[in-house]
Amino acid sequence: MSRTVSTGHGQGSVQPQESDSRLASEAAGGTGWPRSPLGETFGRYMVPLLFLVLTAYFAITLPNFRTSVNLVSMADAQSIILMLAIVGCFQLRMGEFDLSIVSTMVLSGALVARLTQEGHGLTTCLLAVGLAALVIGTLAGFLVVVLGVDAFVTTLGINTLTSGLVYWVTGSTAVVTVPDPIVSLARTEVLGLTSATWSGWLFVVVAWYVFDFTPLGRHLLFVGGNRDVARLAGVGVDRIRFLGFVGAAIVAAFIGLLLLGQLGAADPSTTNQYLLPPFAAVFLGAATIRLNQFNALGTLFALYLLAVGVTGLQLMGAPTWVSSAFNGIALVVAVTLARLAGRKLVTA
């Protein structure tokens, strides 16, 4: 089917406002794949149902699991991962895989801790963090969007480089000088939950609203689904992609402040601990709620499903390596079941 697009020389045009629904269907992979009501319903609510079943099972069989202390601790422990997952969700929704957000987060905390240790004020620390995030995001955007280098390879390299900078900044040891305002930022309790936990849920609400109710959310989906079609519809594809990398780095730096306040130290070895779980949650979340789309609510349910599974198994006496194994298995199973349900997962 041909489409006439305005070039500024008097031709007919297809306006983004007029074609959003059709473009969204194409971007979400809505053509050419068989669907069945039963398969679609199962795929849409598989993760929330598994979350409820698993939670109920552990609550019944493990008295320690259902205690308020354990539940609050579990929610608090997932707050940083949840925020990283939402940032990753934005990036993946527009078709980019940004691994550098994790090391940017850790570098942020390392800079604040080191500069504080050397006697600098909080304002100087925040300016340094903001500048570092801006440089990292701009570098990633330039290499991927302007030069056309593969996003996965680029951000993997930046992640490795930034991880090395973290060891240099911290002297390869944990730095425990944390400003009091940063600690308060992460640990202040509201209704029994820390501000870091509330921040994670706020991230989810903001992402849900942007994805489902704003033009930016639709445009991200268009860019991730089919960049050529998005350009023909007048979407600023390269601008969105470039600003996406810059914005992700800045938000990751803010998350790093929360991580620093939560841990009370800047540990250079934390990068690897936060690398897999956020992306496992995002990909698993794309197989639920809104099938074939990276979405906020699906990411939330997926993350807590993984957290409940790992926590329950650990309380049952499972070894420490069970966390990585469970995350990996859950991701593979979820994507496989979504495929069997007659859908495809769109990543770019």
Side-chain angles (χ1 to χ4, degrees):
M1 179 179 67
S2 62
R3 180 183 289 115
T4 304
V5 180
S6 175
T7 60
H9 300 289
Q11 294 181 346
S13 64
V14 175
Q15 299 296 331
Q17 295 90 342
E18 299 172 355
S19 58
D20 275 357
S21 298
R22 176 161 46 85
L23 284 173
S25 175
E26 293 179 14
T31 59
W33 285 78
R35 302 183 184 185
S36 69
L38 180 61
E40 185 169 345
T41 301
F42 171 75
R44 187 180 300 276
Y45 298 109
M46 174 186 63
V47 170
L49 287 174
L50 285 176
F51 167 73
L52 293 175
V53 169
L54 208 58
T55 301
Y57 172 76
F58 286 134
I60 293 171
T61 59
L62 299 172
N64 290 339
F65 180 87
R66 59 177 180 262
T67 63
S68 59
V69 173
N70 178 66
L71 296 177
V72 169
S73 176
M74 188 165 55
D76 189 42
Q78 299 303 313
S79 59
I80 299 299
I81 298 175
L82 178 58
M83 286 182 275
L84 283 175
I86 293 300
V87 176
C89 194
F90 269 91
Q91 293 291 83
L92 285 164
R93 192 176 174 92
M94 69 176 186
E96 306 292 358
F97 201 123
D98 190 353
L99 290 169
S100 65
I101 57 176
V102 180
S103 59
T104 301
M105 173 190 72
V106 179
L107 178 63
S108 169
L111 283 172
V112 171
R114 174 58 68 186
L115 290 174
T116 301
Q117 187 181 62
E118 294 178 354
H120 295 281
L122 182 60
T123 301
T124 301
C125 295
L126 295 180
L127 288 175
V129 165
L131 179 60
L134 184 61
V135 170
I136 293 172
T138 301
L139 176 62
F142 177 76
L143 292 174
V144 175
V145 179
V146 179
L147 298 186
V149 184
D150 180 75
F152 180 85
V153 175
T154 298
T155 58
L156 177 61
I158 293 176
N159 179 75
T160 305
L161 170 63
T162 309
S163 298
L165 291 177
V166 170
Y167 278 93
W168 173 65
V169 169
T170 60
S172 302
T173 60
V175 182
V176 297
T177 50
V178 182
D180 291 337
I182 299 297
V183 175
S184 299
L185 178 68
R187 297 186 186 181
T188 299
E189 291 192 2
V190 179
L191 300 178
L193 296 169
T194 66
S195 50
T197 299
W198 288 108
S199 296
W201 293 345
L202 179 61
F203 270 48
V204 174
V205 172
V206 171
W208 166 74
Y209 179 80
V210 171
F211 290 164
D212 287 5
F213 299 103
T214 69
L216 175 60
R218 293 192 297 272
H219 290 171
L220 288 172
L221 190 63
F222 304 160
V223 172
N226 192 319
R227 290 172 188 165
D228 291 333
V229 172
R231 287 191 179 94
L232 292 174
V235 177
V237 173
D238 291 342
R239 181 178 69 254
I240 288 175
R241 293 171 64 209
F242 189 92
L243 293 177
F245 282 105
V246 176
I250 292 174
V251 176
F254 169 75
I255 300 172
L257 300 180
L258 291 173
L259 177 63
L260 178 64
Q262 190 179 68
L263 297 179
D267 186 349
S269 65
T270 55
T271 301
N272 292 334
Q273 300 174 21
Y274 288 93
L275 194 58
L276 173 63
F279 294 105
V282 175
F283 278 98
L284 181 55
T288 189
I289 308 297
R290 290 187 175 273
L291 294 176
N292 310 325
Q293 295 181 19
F294 296 104
N295 65 92
L297 294 180
T299 299
L300 177 68
F301 276 111
L303 178 64
Y304 283 136
L305 169 63
L306 297 175
V308 166
V310 170
T311 301
L313 291 174
Q314 289 176 342
L315 289 175
M316 293 175 65
T320 55
W321 53 262
V322 73
S323 176
S324 296
F326 187 85
N327 287 338
I329 292 173
L331 177 59
V332 172
V333 169
V335 175
T336 301
L337 289 177
R339 177 68 179 268
L340 294 176
R343 309 291 293 233
K344 71 173 181 177
L345 176 62
V346 175
T347 60

